[in-house]
Amino acid sequence: PVVVHLHGGEVPSMFDGGPDQWFTPDGLHGPGFASLGGPANAATYLYPNAQEAATLWFHDHALGATRLNVYAGLAAFYLLRDPAGTGLDTGIPATGGLPAGPYEIEIAIQDRMFDTNGQLLFPDLGINPAVHPYWRPEFFGDTIVVNGKTWPYLNVEPRRYRFRLLNGSNARFYELRISPGSGRAAGLVFWQIGTDGGLLSAPVPMSALLLAPGERADVIVDFSGAAGQTLVVTNSAKAPYPNGAAADPQTVGQIMQFRVVTPLAGA
């Protein structure tokens, strides 16, 4: 069973993708199923897209399977723009607005576990087996994936980038910092320009950025003074947050690298 929920979207309840609105490949569906038509094993939803420009995301929300379906990868970004309103969020390069095109990048951060064969592993022993054999209220993985890749790096130019950040984890918080490269006295800051609901009235510099599960942040990072450096995005949030175990600096304490090695293109 699967159902699509547009997280943060202002949509009619019949298209909200609630836990009971599931459907299956063979045409079965839950009591809350709603669709605009189409094959029996599919659903067509209508999203008005009438809210303010914002970083939204969609994910599975089927009853009893959400944690597994999202863990398996059924989650992605859904970006709303407002080019006629502010003139900033056009998504088109060289319009005088925010960084766009190749300089606007989605970053979904999640924690995972893998078995010795490299397959996704989800614990199957419940915390109270006498009540339920495999039910667990929270999951904390020992591996970080960004856009589905473990501890990746991104080659960037020495210029400003816009990053759409998403915490797509089950229960893990992230307290993000951009650590300094070699020969640099301090790390870079996140200039936060937007939250879950849309753009802020003014940018806010953040040396550390805290993201709860499901939360998004719209940020600008300026690499113009870091040419030739390798920067590491680190995580210092405890799990469970805020009083759990400290993040292991060799595993979940690292998110990804920014390698400022790409020559500057154009002005």
Side-chain angles (χ1 to χ4, degrees), residues 46-110:
L46 175 64
Y47 295 150
N49 296 332
Q51 65 199 87
E52 292 187 17
T55 307
L56 310 180
W57 67 299
F58 61 92
H59 59 81
D60 172 71
H61 213 327
L63 182 65
T66 298
R67 71 197 189 286
L68 298 176
N69 286 349
V70 174
Y71 189 77
L74 298 184
F77 284 89
Y78 188 97
L79 306 181
L80 285 183
R81 302 192 183 278
D82 185 16
T86 63
L88 292 173
D89 191 18
T90 64
I92 304 172
T95 59
L98 296 168
Y103 307 113
E104 179 186 20
I105 298 174
E106 299 95 342
I107 295 180
I109 306 170
Q110 299 169 300

